[in-house]
Amino acid sequence: EKERAFIEWYPRGYGVGFKVKERLFETQTEYQRLEIYETEGFGKLLVLDGTVQLVEVGEESYHETLVHPVMLAHPNPRRVLVIGGGDGGTLREVLRHKTVEKATMVEIDEGVVEASYLYLDVASELLDKLIKKEEPRGELIIGDGVRYLKETDERFDVIIVDSTDPVGPAKLLFSEEFYRSAYEKLNERGLYITQAGSVYLFTNELLDAYRAMKRVFDRVYYFSFPVIGYASPWSFLVGVKGDIDFRKVDVERGRELELYYYDPERHETLFQMPKYVRDLL
Ligand code: AG3
């Protein structure tokens, strides 16, 4: 019998693939083509426009890394904004922090939220509550994050961008103009984090984003982590506003979270980068 696979093709023919049993769902949403597969060994797979967003087994390797380093570096993160993240994994991790009073998620594509709620074991209980407006500390807004950030009167301690790649529709989320509105909407002390693509395969996009962030934030940090399902190592960029040291995290709060991938006690290990990239940055 013929073996089936889903392969995401990165530039120059670098592939990341999963053996799949079947495709459970596919649709063209208002914004993108969405597919969900049942994989052989990693649970369900969410694909947007041909790119892997997550596999259920190991999604924490991404969500823990995107959320907890900034949340533990901030002394008291109370108000958090997530842009994108329609599958709910990022907001799920944010809400594990007891300091959080309110976390808002602005996702442009309602189709991603619906499909994730229906098919994925990532955060379906949370998504259900958000849709019914029954999550006391969480709010879901279906809308354009760029516009939201420009227009909102709210201020945030932490802003997390969980978007698709810095090519295509998410491109604006990697622009200097967007970073400026994020900086403006952070409290006096605040942290901004974005995923910034594959270190090896999107090096130029990573450099562009880093340079644009440097023009806006008081300090900018880069780090990388191996993410299951992506062409790893995967890069992350952190922008600091005001008096916060991102090189230090609250290890005590970190221990209580009982994390699986990101190790707050070894926070300094995040900052490794291949030498050629560090030389360019
Ligand atoms: N958001 C980041 C996806 C980037 C993956 N890029 C790729 N596979 N080319 C993931 C959403 C998870 N909440």
Side-chain angles (χ1 to χ4, degrees):
E1 210 185 297
K2 184 161 142 263
E3 245 168 14
R4 297 221 303 142
F6 173 85
I7 301 172
E8 174 180 350
W9 293 109
Y10 282 81
R12 288 144 55 208
Y14 187 107
V16 173
F18 290 90
K19 283 190 186 172
V20 296
K21 293 182 191 156
E22 59 174 323
R23 182 158 62 193
L24 298 171
F25 184 62
E26 66 165 316
T27 186
Q28 176 68 42
T29 73
E30 208 183 315
Y31 295 94
Q32 51 210 335
R33 190 178 146 73
L34 183 156
E35 299 166 87
I36 293 175
Y37 292 87
E38 182 70 53
T39 70
E40 278 194 14
F42 288 84
K44 281 170 231 105
L45 159 66
L46 171 65
V47 177
L48 294 179
D49 282 342
T51 66
V52 172
Q53 299 302 300
L54 59 83
V55 281
E56 286 174 332
V57 179
E59 47 92 354
E60 300 89 344
S61 61
Y62 174 80
H63 290 124
E64 286 187 4
T65 309
L66 183 65
V67 171
H68 302 304
V70 284
M71 292 296 284
L72 295 174
H74 194 292
N76 187 20
R78 289 185 296 188
R79 301 182 82 84
V80 179
L81 174 66
V82 175
I83 293 180
D87 54 80
T90 295
L91 197 67
R92 177 197 72 205
E93 294 300 317
V94 168
L95 290 172
R96 294 178 66 193
H97 291 261
K98 292 187 292 231
T99 56
V100 173
E101 289 161 7
K102 189 179 169 205
T104 303
M105 167 167 121
V106 182
E107 163 64 55
I108 200 165
D109 192 344
E110 195 167 21
V112 175
V113 179
E114 274 165 18
S116 302
Y117 164 65
L118 288 172
Y119 290 95
L120 302 178
D121 291 317
V122 171
S124 53
E125 222 176 289
L126 171 61
L127 293 177
D128 185 39
K129 282 202 216 152
L130 288 169
I131 292 164
K132 295 181 178 148
K133 300 194 183 305
E134 286 171 1
E135 168 54 54
R137 297 191 299 149
E139 182 190 11
L140 168 65
I141 295 173
I142 299 297
D144 176 353
V146 174
R147 194 160 157 199
Y148 174 84
L149 204 52
K150 205 176 284 172
E151 291 174 358
T152 185
D153 296 325
E154 308 229 10
R155 292 294 179 272
F156 304 95
D157 300 307
V158 173
I159 298 176
I160 301 173
V161 176
D162 181 12
S163 68
T164 50
D165 294 340
V167 285
K171 216 178 153 118
L172 278 177
L173 299 174
F174 295 86
S175 65
E176 183 171 333
E177 196 189 339
F178 180 70
Y179 297 139
R180 285 202 191 282
S181 57
Y183 186 88
E184 202 179 297
K185 303 299 155 84
L186 282 170
N187 281 319
E188 203 179 317
R189 284 203 292 192
L191 289 166
Y192 176 92
I193 185 165
T194 178
Q195 71 96 355
S198 170
V199 172
Y200 291 140
L201 297 159
F202 298 146
T203 312
N204 287 333
E205 288 79 1
L206 166 61
L207 288 172
D208 288 347
Y210 176 78
R211 288 179 187 136
M213 281 177 70
K214 284 281 262 191
R215 292 194 284 272
V216 174
F217 291 92
D218 300 342
R219 284 172 305 288
V220 179
Y221 295 88
Y222 49 82
F223 68 87
S224 71
F225 201 79
V227 173
I228 294 171
Y230 304 170
S232 287
W234 206 253
S235 68
F236 298 83
L237 291 168
V238 174
V240 180
K241 177 173 176 180
D243 177 26
I244 295 180
D245 186 356
F246 180 66
R247 288 165 308 179
K248 299 224 161 51
V249 287
D250 186 337
V251 173
E252 269 317 306
R253 270 195 286 142
R255 209 170 279 138
E256 285 165 30
L257 293 169
E258 297 183 32
L259 302 175
Y260 195 78
Y261 292 93
Y262 165 58
D263 184 354
E265 287 175 61
R266 297 286 179 275
H267 181 69
E268 71 280 0
T269 60
L270 283 183
F271 297 94
Q272 54 118 344
M273 217 18 120
K275 182 164 182 303
Y276 84 93
V277 180
R278 192 166 68 81
D279 288 345
L280 289 165
L281 284 162

